């Protein structure tokens, strides 16, 4: 392990790789600061550029962008009350009022410090827990992986966007998409319509670009009449000792919350920041200040959302189950590069894994410096007119979809999924479950069929294996979580039990 | 997440309210999902069957059919969950949205039959204009420079060969 760690961290001494990490940090901060483009759509757009790179560079760049963009969402959340990424939505609640009081620099300083602490904390947890989890995964056979991937899909029920049933529909749709192509067990073509390109299966990259980036262009076309009020700022200020005294407990708590939420399959920085913010409020002595510019609110949300980045990489690298939407894209990139995440990754390619840990650590330090020195400059990226930005995004979407296989068919697929993504968002569905379902789909089918062969088609024997049973129980809990949380919420609010039931058992 | 207030009320009291949709609208999305499932289930009937020794207990169509059954079940749960909820009408889509869609259609035609980079130029310039940009000179420069930059970046640095067309034929010879 130590040899791998040394080799991986040594790889980061390469000036070219460091320059790439720096460029990806700058790109991540710019993308994160642009409302509409976030870590996920940014990673989807950047993915085609990384295909020709060596795997370490490619994944390091995407992981760096993930960390930097998650932080940078706070810049516009604080200055223009528009979160650059959904993970920064909770930061708006107190960041913008504080900025309105003329303390934008203080708010951005706290966001930068809390994000950096959260990010570094989670990378340290990632570096120690992912290899341990991978060791456990050595005991996994096809039934365990099948149960684990089902657990990952069941967690879609509890992600915040959409609603439990809508998210599950999206997830199953994604798994269904993964059946397109030649069936690996029988070599029979399924849903290929005679197309040789589709026989290999549907490529992740065009689908992800369409779902996340192109659908956002269509969303933006409906929001052109919105105007934003920009708050002027002199410079970012590091938090005062009084601010540290008030927030250190909140930051530590949010580091733990964010990392834990990030580790859960499918849950990401957005959920983490909401919970981090709520817990900051719950434990604060100054509850009345929340919503009016509480510095603890900013610290709670920002430490949690950046802590979720390292957390989300734990199941992604150790088990091949994405911890968030952006890590689903990073997982897709790993598969494109022929890297199969899982326990073998930590023994056979330890240097690669440690290089990714190191890159994420460096990214956190870099965005700390960039945030303190250049937040004012990066905020100006929001001045780029939509009339120039989004045509450019469309062009990058098309070239990105085309570049992987140099096939116009991938461009048409990207356009179709852009329309599907927009229709889903318009109808209240999230596109994240589709992406996660598509990426996990092959694993679900392959492991199910291998398990059936193992047990001679007696599927119920899967329940006799302890780890599989644990994952099935967790899957049931994951599916029931909206019900359980709904019931608990009703109890806390003192509602009559029948009143919630009238809304339907799975309503949020 | 529900789109309107979640207090359950009788459908009769909402019938006259123009700002609210018919309760039947709640069935539109589940209905579309069920139609989609039926169509895809029909497609699975076109799959080849393999001998049972090769199928190993599961024919190629079985797994997609299981997923479709699950999707249909979820659509029914969604319909049950949404039925009777008061629903406000969605904001109508602005004209510029439909223009954007139209420009994407024009892009497809130009990219397929003329040239990808001509399609880029036309789309980039037209979308800027449609979204309200009136500095035509600047729009023109950006509509030329952005595709050119992408061609240089992907074509030269990442060695991507773009599809042949009116312009690319001139470049590739």
């Amino acid at each position: 392990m130590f040899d791998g760690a040394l080799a991986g961290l040594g790889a980061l001494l390469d000036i070219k790789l460091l320059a790439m990490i720096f460029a990806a940090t700058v790109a991540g901060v710019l993308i994160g600061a642009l409302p509409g483009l976030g870590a996920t759509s940014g990673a989807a757009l950047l993915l085609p550029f990384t295909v020709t790179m060596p795997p370490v560079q490619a994944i390091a760049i995407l992981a760096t962008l993930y960390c930097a963009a998650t932080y940078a969402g706070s810049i516009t959340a604080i200055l223009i009350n528009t979160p650059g990424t959904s993970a920064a939505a909770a930061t708006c609640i107190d960041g913008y009022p504080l900025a309105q009081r003329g303390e934008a620099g203080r708010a951005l300083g706290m966001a930068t410090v809390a994000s950096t602490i959260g990010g570094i904390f989670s990378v340290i947890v990632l570096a120690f827990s992912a290899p341990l989890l991978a060791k456990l995964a050595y005991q996994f056979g096809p039934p365990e992986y099948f149960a684990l991937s089902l657990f990952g899909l069941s967690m879609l029920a509890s992600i915040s966007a959409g609603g439990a049933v809508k998210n599950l529909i999206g997830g199953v749709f994604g798994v269904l998409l993964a059946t397109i192509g030649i069936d690996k067990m029988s070599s029979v073509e399924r849903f290929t319509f005679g197309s040789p390109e589709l026989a290999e299966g549907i490529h992740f990259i065009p689908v992800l670009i369409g779902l996340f980036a192109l659908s956002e262009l269509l969303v933006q076309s409906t929001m052109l009449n919105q105007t934003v009020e920009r708050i002027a700022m002199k410079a970012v200020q590091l938090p005062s000792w009084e601010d540290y005294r008030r927030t250190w407990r909140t930051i530590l708590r949010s580091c733990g919350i964010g990392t834990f939420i990030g580790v859960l399959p499918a849950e990401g920085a957005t959920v983490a920041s909401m919970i981090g913010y709520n817990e900051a409020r719950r434990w604060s002595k100054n509850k009345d200040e929340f919503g009016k510019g509480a510095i603890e609110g900013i610290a709670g949300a920002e430490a949690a959302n950046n802590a979720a980045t390292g957390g989300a990489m734990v199941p992604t690298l150790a088990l091949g189950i994405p911890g968030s939407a952006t890590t689903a894209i990073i997982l897709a990139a790993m598969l494109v590069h022929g890297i199969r995440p899982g326990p073998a990754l930590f023994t056979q390619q330890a240097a690669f894994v440690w290089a990714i840990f190191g890159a994420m650590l460096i990214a956190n330090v870099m965005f700390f410096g960039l945030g303190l020195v250049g937040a004012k400059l990066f905020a100006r990226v929001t001045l780029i007119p939509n009339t120039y930005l989004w045509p450019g995004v469309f062009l990058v979407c098309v070239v990105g979809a085309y570049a992987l296989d140099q096939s116009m068919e991938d461009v048409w697929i990207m356009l179709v999924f852009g329309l599907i993504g927009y229709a889903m968002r318009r109808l209240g569905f999230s596109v994240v479950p589709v992406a996660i379902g598509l990426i996990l789909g092959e694993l679900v089918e392959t492991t199910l069929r291998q398990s059936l062969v193992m047990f001679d088609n007696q599927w119920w024997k899967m329940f006799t294996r302890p780890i599989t049973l644990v994952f099935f129980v967790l899957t049931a809990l994951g599916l029931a979580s909206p019900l359980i949380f709904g019931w608990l919420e009703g109890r806390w609010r003192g509602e009559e039990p029948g009143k919630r039931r009238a809304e339907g058992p799975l309503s949020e | 997440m529900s789109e309107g207030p979640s207090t359950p009320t009788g459908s009769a009291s909402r019938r006259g309210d123009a700002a609210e949709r018919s309760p039947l609208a709640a069935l539109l999305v589940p209905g579309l999902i069920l139609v989609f499932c039926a169509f895809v289930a029909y497609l699975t009937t076109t799959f080849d069957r393999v001998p049972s020794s090769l199928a190993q207990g599961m024919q190629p169509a079985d797994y997609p059919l299981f997923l479709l059954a699950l999707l249909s079940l979820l659509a029914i749960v969604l319909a049950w969950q949404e039925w009777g909820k008061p629903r406000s009408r969605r904001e109508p889509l602005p004209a510029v949205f439909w223009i954007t869609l139209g420009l994407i259609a024009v892009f497809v035609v130009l990219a397929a039959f003329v040239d990808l980079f001509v399609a880029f130029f036309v789309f980039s310039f037209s979308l800027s204009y449609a979204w309200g940009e009136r500095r035509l000179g600047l729009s023109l420069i950006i509509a030329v420079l952005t595709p050119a930059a992408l061609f240089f970046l992907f074509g030269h640095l990442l060695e991507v060969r773009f599809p042949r067309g009116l312009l690319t034929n001139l470049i590739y010879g």
Side-chain angles (χ1 to χ4, degrees):
Chain A
M1 179 179 153
F2 289 107
D3 290 345
L6 279 177
L9 297 175
L12 293 167
L13 297 175
D14 177 19
I15 295 294
K16 192 180 166 195
L17 183 57
L18 277 177
M20 291 256 187
I21 292 171
F22 180 74
T25 309
V26 174
V29 173
L30 289 171
I31 286 171
L34 279 166
L37 282 178
T40 311
S41 46
L45 286 172
L46 197 66
L47 187 51
F49 292 88
T50 64
V51 168
T52 54
M53 294 176 184
V56 172
Q57 269 183 27
I59 308 304
I61 282 174
L62 291 170
T64 299
L65 181 125
Y66 180 29
C67 298
T70 304
Y71 151 68
S74 65
I75 296 175
T76 44
I78 289 166
L79 293 180
I80 62 172
N81 201 24
T82 306
T85 63
S86 58
T91 310
C92 287
I93 303 170
D94 282 295
Y96 188 67
L98 200 58
Q100 279 180 313
R101 289 193 334 223
E103 296 183 87
R106 182 180 164 221
L108 274 171
M110 177 51 75
T112 307
V113 168
S115 296
T116 306
I117 295 172
I120 290 176
F121 175 87
S122 73
V123 174
I124 293 169
V125 172
L126 166 69
F128 286 98
S129 62
L132 292 177
L133 190 60
K135 267 186 189 164
L136 177 73
Y138 263 122
Q139 298 168 31
F140 286 16
E144 283 76 15
Y145 269 109
F146 171 67
L148 174 67
S149 48
L150 271 196
F151 168 57
L153 289 171
S154 74
M155 290 305 287
L156 294 173
S158 60
I159 62 174
S160 57
V165 178
K166 285 182 172 177
N167 287 334
L168 289 173
I169 287 173
V172 176
F173 177 58
V175 176
L176 185 66
L177 288 175
T179 64
I180 294 174
I182 292 175
D183 172 25
K184 289 190 175 59
M185 300 289 259
S186 61
S187 300
V188 168
E189 288 193 13
R190 298 187 298 197
F191 308 119
T192 61
F193 306 101
S195 159
E197 274 95 351
L198 285 180
E200 296 168 17
I202 198 157
H203 291 138
F204 295 143
I205 294 178
V207 176
L208 296 176
I209 293 175
L211 286 176
F212 290 106
L214 184 64
S215 71
E216 185 60 39
L217 179 144
L218 293 168
V219 170
Q220 292 293 325
S221 75
T222 64
M223 297 163 62
L224 293 174
N225 54 357
Q226 289 185 4
T227 52
V228 291
E229 190 188 340
R230 195 179 311 274
I231 291 187
M233 176 190 67
K234 284 180 187 162
V236 178
Q237 296 167 7
L238 277 173
S240 64
W241 286 114
E242 173 59 19
D243 285 342
Y244 281 122
R245 195 189 60 74
R246 281 182 66 173
T247 57
W248 69 270
R249 285 189 191 87
T250 302
I251 292 175
L252 283 182
R253 192 184 311 112
S254 282
C255 284
I257 291 169
T259 307
F260 175 73
I261 298 290
V263 170
L264 294 176
E267 308 292 333
T270 309
V271 178
S273 69
M274 292 293 177
I275 297 178
Y277 180 84
N278 280 338
E279 291 308 307
R281 187 174 182 278
R282 188 199 303 272
W283 291 92
S284 174
K285 290 174 187 163
N286 313 301
K287 287 190 179 65
D288 293 346
E289 283 184 27
F290 277 74
K292 298 170 193 160
I295 197 81
E296 294 143 285
I298 300 169
E302 282 302 309
N305 66 22
N306 270 78
T309 55
M313 289 294 278
V314 175
T316 310
L317 291 173
L319 305 170
I321 304 289
S324 67
T326 314
T327 52
I329 291 173
I330 294 174
L331 182 59
M334 291 172 77
L335 297 176
V336 167
H337 279 280
I339 297 167
R340 173 59 75 176
L345 187 67
F346 287 80
T347 49
Q348 290 165 10
Q349 297 187 63
F352 167 83
V353 176
W354 280 94
I356 303 306
F357 296 163
M360 289 179 74
L361 208 57
I362 292 170
N364 278 284
V365 176
M366 280 183 176
F367 79 61
F368 176 74
L370 284 170
L372 289 184
V373 177
K376 194 177 173 184
L377 183 70
F378 290 122
R380 296 184 69 82
V381 78
T382 58
L383 295 174
I384 297 174
N386 278 344
T387 51
Y388 295 132
L389 175 68
W390 288 98
V393 168
F394 179 83
L395 268 53
V396 175
C397 287
V398 172
V399 176
Y402 175 83
L404 178 65
D405 260 15
Q406 304 190 16
S407 157
M408 284 306 281
E409 195 153 324
D410 283 339
V411 175
W412 312 142
I413 289 174
M414 183 275 293
L415 293 174
V416 168
F417 277 92
L419 296 177
I420 291 174
Y422 176 76
M424 288 181 71
R425 291 168 71 169
R426 171 91 176 153
L427 295 169
F429 288 79
S430 166
V431 294
V432 174
V434 183
I436 292 181
L438 174 64
I439 289 165
L440 285 182
E442 190 188 333
L443 183 69
V444 176
E445 182 176 8
T446 309
T447 52
L448 169 66
R449 294 175 77 167
Q450 286 171 343
S451 304
L452 289 177
V453 172
M454 270 176 71
F455 295 121
D456 201 17
N457 286 323
Q458 294 169 313
W459 57 266
W460 56 91
K461 283 192 178 171
M462 277 197 263
F463 290 93
T464 60
R465 294 166 75 105
I467 297 174
T468 311
L469 187 63
V470 168
F471 281 126
F472 280 139
V473 170
L474 288 174
T475 302
L477 285 174
L479 290 172
S481 60
L483 271 173
I484 296 167
F485 289 129
W487 180 76
L488 285 174
E489 199 185 330
R491 295 259 307 179
W492 287 332
R493 287 180 182 171
E495 285 178 10
E496 295 162 34
K499 196 172 174 183
R500 277 198 76 78
R501 204 170 296 135
E503 295 169 29
L506 290 169
S507 64
E508 292 210 330
Chain B
M1 262 172 250
S2 63
E3 290 170 33
S6 56
T7 44
T9 52
S11 58
S13 62
R14 296 193 303 271
R15 213 163 281 152
D17 191 345
E20 289 185 0
R21 289 190 296 168
S22 149
L24 280 175
L27 299 182
L28 181 68
V29 174
L32 284 174
I33 294 171
L34 288 173
V35 169
F36 168 79
C37 288
F39 174 68
V40 179
Y42 161 74
L43 289 179
T44 63
T45 61
T46 63
F47 295 171
D48 293 336
R49 289 184 68 82
V50 292
S52 55
S53 58
L54 198 61
Q56 294 178 318
M58 199 184 258
Q59 287 291 336
D62 292 349
Y63 178 68
L65 279 172
F66 167 75
L67 292 175
L68 290 168
L70 191 59
L71 206 52
S72 304
L73 183 71
L74 287 167
I76 292 166
V77 174
L78 183 65
W80 175 61
Q81 188 184 323
E82 298 281 309
W83 177 256
K85 268 190 186 176
R87 307 168 70 83
S88 54
R89 281 190 188 277
R90 288 192 188 89
E91 287 276 309
L93 289 165
V96 73
F97 169 82
W98 299 108
I99 294 170
T100 305
L101 271 190
L103 288 174
I104 290 175
V106 171
F107 169 83
V108 169
V109 173
L110 288 176
F113 299 107
V114 182
D115 185 277
L116 182 63
F117 285 87
V118 171
F120 278 160
F121 169 75
V122 172
F123 181 85
S124 193
F125 182 76
S126 318
L127 192 72
S128 280
Y129 188 82
W131 283 24
E133 184 57 61
R134 292 297 175 264
R135 291 170 290 183
L136 298 184
L138 188 59
S139 294
L140 205 64
I141 291 168
I142 289 174
V144 171
L145 286 185
T146 314
L150 284 173
F151 183 83
F152 174 76
L153 184 64
F154 278 85
H156 289 270
L157 299 183
L158 302 177
E159 296 177 354
V160 170
R161 201 163 172 85
F162 289 101
R164 283 191 171 272
L166 206 66
L167 272 180
T168 39
N169 275 344
L170 293 176
I171 296 166
Y172 291 140

